[in-house]
Every structure is written in C-alpha cells, then in structure tokens.
C-alpha cells in the first residue's frame, strides 16, 4: 500500500524585478526654493540625505536658519499681498490642475525618488503615494472657485501665510495634503519637509516652476526640527499646519497659545483593528496585513493593535502567521517587495527598543524566517501575542512593522479596549453584520472608522484625530475650513 504524504506547501519563487533609477537625475547639492528661485542658505549649513536601504548618501541639502526662514516668509507674504489672495478661484484652480497633471506625467520619477529617499516599497510609492498626491491637487482644484458655496451662509476668505511642517512617512503625499487646500483657498505657503526625506519636495519645486506658479506662492525650506521650530514661531506666519509626533505637536500648541495663529495638528496613533468571529477571516487577514505592514508600519493611522474575538483567535493567528511568512522584505526598489527599509537609524533604534520591551514585559514574539539585507536599516515584520493593555507595546506608538495582539469576548469589551488609548486617529471593524459596524462606529473614539477594509484614503474624505491624535481635518470639504476665515454674509 502506498503511504499518503502531506503535499508540500505551495511556494512561489520571485525573480528580482528592480525598478530602474535612470529616470531620476539628482543634483549633488540642493539650495532652498524661495520666491521662485533656488537660493544658497544664508545659514551656510547643509546636511546629507541618505538612502535608508543602502546607507549611501543621495545628496547634500541646505539647512535653513532664522534668516532663511524669514526670507521665505517674506516672499510668501509678498506673493499673498501681491495678487494670489485676490486671484479669482477659477484662476487658482488652473494652477492646481496643472500641478496635478504634471505630477501624473512625472509620477514614475517621483515614485522612484520617494523610494530612494524614504525606503518605502516602489509598488507603494508608485500605486499609492503618487496617484493620491495628484488626486489631492485635482480635488482641491475643483473647490477653488466654489468656496462661497462650501459653507452655507458664510463668506470664505483666505488666512494669509501658512507655515506647514510635514513628516517623513509620506513625504510627497503629505506635501499634497498640505499644499492643495492652502493654495485652493488663496493662501501662500512656506513648507518644511522632514530632515530625512527632503528630495521629493525639492523635485516638486520644478513642477511648480513648470506650472508657472507665481513666485513666492510656495516656498520650500529644508532643515531639521530647529528649522521647523523657527517657521512655526515666525511672527509673519498666520496659520500653522503640522503633521508629526504628539510630543512635538504638544510643544507647538503650547507655543502658539495666545498668538492668534490658527493651528491644525495631525499627530500619532495606536489604532485598533477589531476582528469579530463572524468576519470573513481571510479577508480580515489581508486587512490586518495592510493595516500594519503597509509602509513598514510608518503610518500614523496604522492598525498596530489587533483585537481579535477570543473564539477565533487561535485560528485567526495561525492564518496571520502563515501570511506573514510570505511577505517579502528587502530592496524597496524591487517591485516584489512588500516591506522595505526603516526610514532612519534613529527610527530603527526606537523600534528595536520597543520590541525589546515587549519581550521583557512577557509578550510572545513571532517573526518569520526572512533574511534581512546586510546593509541598510531593516526590521523583520513582528507579531506579539499575549499582550496586555499595560505593556508598552500596547500603549506607545512604535511606528514600525510591529503588531500587538489582544483578545476580547464581547462587543462592549472590544470598544473599551479599542478606546483605551490617549490617541484617536483611526480604527477598523471586521464583521459581516452591518448593524454591528454602525454600533461600533458610534462608540469608537477615532477620526476614521474603516469597516471590512483598512488604510483606504480618498481626497474627498476628511481625515484627522481625536484626543492626542490632534485636531482639524484634512481632505474633502472639511479640509478647506482650516485655511479659511469664514465670515457671516
Ligand atoms: P517629529 O514630530 O519630530 O517630526 C515631524 C516634523 O516636524 C519633521 O519635519 C520635523 O523635522 C519637524 N519638527 C521636529 N521638531 C520640531 C519643532 N520643535 N517645531 C517644529 N517642527 C519640528 O517626528 P520624528 O521624525 O522625530 O518621529 C518621531 C516619532 O513621531 C515617530 O516614531 C512616530 O511615532 C511619530 N511620527 C508620527 C507621524 C504621524 O504621521 N503622525 C509622522 C512622523 C513621526 P525633522 O524631520 O528635521 O526632525
């Protein structure tokens, strides 16, 4: 009699499919883009920007000091008073449309540069960051001539000069989230990209030039946190929009209190992704994977806490671990890569420290047997089970590819555990019952609640936080309000 053996698990071998970098031409050094021109930094200071996947230097970038920021704010004020404020909305819209079209035309170049400078997989920068960035400009181009209809009984006026500080996790997309509504509403801007990812914002300057945007309407000042602090504190700035860590956001809010400057903050998160026993479990596994391993978990709304109903927890976690084993970690320029490089050595150290705390505090760690590249900053996708609410990995934003799993028995307990965080940016609910989705959404204290999906972004949909995740909304009609004075008609 022939003995029956288990069939070998089906595996697929992937040949490397590396995106060419020929489409990108980098300069050795970049100045500041102020008043529609490239200028040398008065500070005399520069800093290198590094490819996190190889640790090679990509370029040297100017570090704007007080005098540089002052020049940029002065240029933005001149452009505001000199015509941008009074330009009819239909004319502003034309610039926004042009920017959107130019971004579409050059999207491969931008996507490759985003991946080189930031470490995210090319398939994400190509299929998510760039299309969404262009979509934001298109969306707000459509609003530019309809502002008086957007808020019933109110007349919409621009605020003035906006100082915008953005982070490194979605450099180009965050620039679009900030610039598109500000320009559509008639404001001018000084934008400060993150220290580790300045290059796509600097490339955007060439798009703004090609779109014939009047000089000074957008100014781009690169630098580190100190440059951001100078911009935020500059007396010529009327409105501050900040996306980044909760610590820095709190500092900015304290500093701006009483100054009359308008402020919006989009800060950290520790979102719950909640899986009920009646959910389509295979679909939920994909949603959990997308929720935490998209962009290496460098996502403020990442589903970093999985709450799974106790009755299906073992079964669900088996499937999740098997799926994790198939994720491909490595070269971000390879089109097969699912998890790319960690953005900086500093961020990798932070992730490692928090992962070590999870092990020390008694949670059980699972990592697939993946081989990490020798060079560059990489971290294996990680799942912690046996996590309790008091563990640091359940409370603190790790901002890396690390999932903490907790279980629950009843919907009330799921809500209680999901809301047991100082943050409130997003949440996910997986269940086949529509009534349960609505019941949960009413009780979850999160700016966005996704149902049977996760990390879905659309320019028409407002995004923003509760509690320590910040305030103000970006996207959609709501995203216009932070850039407008709304006067009674
Ligand atoms: P930061 O909040 O320090 O950085 C965000 C942006 O603010 C960057 O452009 C930064 O410049 C700038 N900045 C820093 N300090 C100041 C200041 N005092 N005044 C004005 N601007 C300032 O985040 P980190 O890069 O240090 O990341 C730390 C943690 O923050 C991450 O581990 C993650 O938990 C969280 N984070 C959350 C993000 C989100 O989207 N909610 C995005 C990024 C980080 P520079 O880059 O030069 O420091």
């Amino acid at each position: 009699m022939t003995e029956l053996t288990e069939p070998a698990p089906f595996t697929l071998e992937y040949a490397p499919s590396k995106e060419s970098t020929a489409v990108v031409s980098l300069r050795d050094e970049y100045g500041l883009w102020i008043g529609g021109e490239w200028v040398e930094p008065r500070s005399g200071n520069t800093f290198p920007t590094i490819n996190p996947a190889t640790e090679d230097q990509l370029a040297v970038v100017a570090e704007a000091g007080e005098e540089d920021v002052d020049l940029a704010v002065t240029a933005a004020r001149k452009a505001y008073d000199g015509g941008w404020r009074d330009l009819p909305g239909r004319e502003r819209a034309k610039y926004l449309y042009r920017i959107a079209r130019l971004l579409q035309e050059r999207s491969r170049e931008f996507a490759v540069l985003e991946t080189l400078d930031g470490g995210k997989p090319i398939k994400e920068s190509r299929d998510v960051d760039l299309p969404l960035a262009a979509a934001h400009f298109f969306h707000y181009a459509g609003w530019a001539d309809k502002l008086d209809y957007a808020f019933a009984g109110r007349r919409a006026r621009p605020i003035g000069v906006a100082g915008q500080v953005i982070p490194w996790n979605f450099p180009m997309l965050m620039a679009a989230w900030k610039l598109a509504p500000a320009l559509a509403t008639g404001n001018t801007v000084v934008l400060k990209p993150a220290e580790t990812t300045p290059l796509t914002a600097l490339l955007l300057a060439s798009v703004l030039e090609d779109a014939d945007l009047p000089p000074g309407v957008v100014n781009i000042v690169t630098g580190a946190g100190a440059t951001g602090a100078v911009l935020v504190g500059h007396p010529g700035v009327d409105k501050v929009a900040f996306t980044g860590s909760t610590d820095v956001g709190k500092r900015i809010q304290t500093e701006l209190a009483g100054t009359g400057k308008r402020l919006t903050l989009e800060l950290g998160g520790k979102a719950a992704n909640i899986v009920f026993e009646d959910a389509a479990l295979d679909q939920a596994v994909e949603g959990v994977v997308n929720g935490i391993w998209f962009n290496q978990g460098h996502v403020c709304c990442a589903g970093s806490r999985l709450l799974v109903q106790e009755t299906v927890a073992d079964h669900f976690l088996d499937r999740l671990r098997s799926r994790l084993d198939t994720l491909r970690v490595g070269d971000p320029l390879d089109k097969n890569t699912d998890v790319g490089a960690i953005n900086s050595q500093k961020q990798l150290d932070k992730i490692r420290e928090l992962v070590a705390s999870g092990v020390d505090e008694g949670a059980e760690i699972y990592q697939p047997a993946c081989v990490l590249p020798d060079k560059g900053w990489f971290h294996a996708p990680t799942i912690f089970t046996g996590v309790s609410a008091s563990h640091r990995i359940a409370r603190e934003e790790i901002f890396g590819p690390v999932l903490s799993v907790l279980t629950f028995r009843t919907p009330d307990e799921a809500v209680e555990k999901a809301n047991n965080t100082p943050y409130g940016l997003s949440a996910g609910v997986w269940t086949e019952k529509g009534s349960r989705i609505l019941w949960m959404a009413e009780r979850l204290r999160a700016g966005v609640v996704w149902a049977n999906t996760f990390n879905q972004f659309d320019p028409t949909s407002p995004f923003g936080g509760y509690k320590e995740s910040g305030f103000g909304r970006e996207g959609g009609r709501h995203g216009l309000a932070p850039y407008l004075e709304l006067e009674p008609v």
Side-chain angles (χ1 to χ4, degrees):
M1 202 170 80
T2 2
E3 215 169 281
L4 286 178
T5 48
E6 280 278 308
F10 176 71
T11 53
L12 264 180
E13 294 299 324
Y14 290 86
S17 174
K18 196 159 166 154
E19 179 75 45
S20 164
T21 57
V23 68
V24 170
S25 58
L26 280 171
R27 298 187 213 160
D28 293 336
E29 283 202 29
Y30 287 85
L32 305 165
W33 200 62
I34 296 178
E37 288 176 356
W38 291 103
V39 297
E40 293 296 313
R42 304 275 166 107
S43 70
N45 296 331
T46 57
F47 63 95
T49 181
I50 309 287
N51 178 344
T54 60
E55 298 175 52
D56 293 333
Q57 178 174 315
L58 291 166
V60 168
V61 174
E63 183 181 352
E66 280 186 31
E67 211 182 325
D68 301 300
V69 171
D70 186 51
L71 274 179
V73 173
T74 306
R77 173 68 54 195
K78 196 170 154 205
Y80 181 73
D81 292 337
W84 187 253
R85 173 185 58 187
D86 302 318
L87 204 63
R90 64 177 183 279
E91 296 302 321
R92 290 199 302 272
K94 289 180 191 167
Y95 291 105
L96 287 159
Y97 274 120
R98 269 184 228 157
I99 295 167
R101 292 299 304 272
L102 288 163
L103 275 180
Q104 284 186 319
E105 279 171 25
R106 294 175 63 183
S107 75
R108 200 159 81 88
E109 180 187 358
F110 272 91
V112 172
L113 187 57
E114 196 75 309
T115 286
L116 283 171
D117 205 19
K120 63 172 65 196
I122 185 70
K123 69 176 179 189
E124 293 180 8
S125 40
R126 182 195 62 196
D127 298 346
V128 181
D129 296 60
L130 262 297
L132 273 176
H136 266 80
F137 281 104
F138 277 125
H139 178 74
Y140 282 106
W143 274 118
D145 62 348
K146 302 174 192 70
L147 300 178
D148 283 337
Y149 310 102
F151 302 93
R154 303 274 162 154
R155 185 178 295 116
R157 297 259 177 269
I159 295 173
V161 175
Q164 305 183 322
V165 179
I166 54 173
W168 42 263
N169 51 345
F170 292 92
M172 189 57 216
L173 185 57
M174 288 303 106
W177 278 29
K178 296 278 181 281
L179 291 174
L183 300 185
T185 46
N187 299 278
T188 57
V189 172
V190 179
L191 178 76
K192 208 291 282 175
E195 181 184 358
T196 56
T197 53
L199 293 180
T200 43
L202 293 170
L203 188 61
L204 180 65
S206 67
V207 163
L208 304 180
E209 269 170 346
D210 290 348
D212 276 336
L213 193 72
V217 170
V218 173
N219 306 273
I220 299 170
V221 290
T222 44
T227 306
V230 172
L231 175 59
V232 164
H234 194 290
V237 166
D238 303 301
K239 192 242 152 26
V240 171
F242 173 82
T243 298
S245 62
T246 295
D247 280 352
V248 174
K250 282 181 182 174
R251 249 181 282 155
I252 291 175
Q253 191 175 9
T254 309
E255 193 190 325
L256 295 200
T259 62
K261 288 183 191 174
R262 297 268 297 270
L263 175 65
T264 38
L265 295 175
E266 202 269 88
L267 309 175
K270 192 76 189 173
N273 209 352
I274 306 163
V275 179
F276 284 94
E277 61 188 359
D278 64 351
L281 293 185
D282 284 334
Q283 198 183 323
V285 165
E286 291 310 310
V288 170
V289 167
N290 170 267
I292 183 62
W293 290 297
F294 172 63
N295 200 26
Q296 297 73 246
H298 298 331
V299 183
C300 46
C301 54
S304 52
R305 286 182 302 148
L306 167 63
L307 303 188
V308 56
Q309 198 155 14
E310 210 173 83
T311 39
V312 291
D314 287 345
H315 176 62
F316 188 78
L317 288 170
D318 280 347
R319 289 195 198 188
L320 186 62
R321 287 190 201 100
S322 309
R323 179 67 178 90
L324 196 65
D325 292 343
T326 68
L327 288 185
R328 293 176 297 275
V329 186
D331 183 356
L333 280 170
D334 188 330
K335 287 170 239 170
N336 296 317
T337 294
D338 296 306
V339 180
I342 300 302
N343 184 260
S344 64
Q345 179 70 59
K346 182 178 148 209
Q347 190 60 25
L348 182 59
D349 293 343
K350 178 183 168 184
I351 296 167
R352 285 181 175 155
E353 196 266 318
L354 275 157
V355 167
S357 84
V359 174
D360 289 348
E361 290 185 324
E364 194 179 318
I365 189 169
Y366 178 81
Q367 290 176 329
C370 56
V371 182
L372 301 182
D374 297 335
K375 264 192 110 186
W377 304 309
F378 290 89
H379 195 282
T382 303
I383 299 178
F384 275 110
T385 47
V387 177
S388 72
S390 61
H391 288 165
R392 284 183 65 200
I393 53 169
R395 291 183 288 117
E396 295 181 31
E397 186 181 42
I398 302 174
F399 226 63
V402 183
L403 179 69
S404 302
V405 185
L406 298 100
T407 57
F408 68 91
R409 289 181 183 168
T410 63
D412 282 319
E413 189 188 349
V415 170
E416 183 115 348
K417 284 186 164 163
N419 288 341
N420 183 17
T421 167
Y423 298 111
L425 200 51
S426 66
V429 180
W430 297 83
T431 171
E432 66 160 16
K433 291 190 181 60
S435 56
R436 179 172 287 164
I437 291 169
L438 297 175
W439 189 90
M440 293 290 291
E442 268 179 12
R443 286 160 181 79
L444 291 169
R445 297 205 63 209
V448 180
V449 179
W450 285 295
N452 294 325
T453 187
F454 208 89
N455 274 342
Q456 288 291 332
F457 302 100
D458 190 289
T460 62
S461 178
F463 182 90
Y466 279 72
K467 302 192 281 184
E468 292 196 13
S469 291
F471 49 81
R473 294 292 177 264
E474 293 181 298
R477 187 179 62 87
H478 298 72
L480 297 167
Y483 290 97
L484 289 171
E485 299 287 359
L486 294 170
E487 302 158 355
V489 178

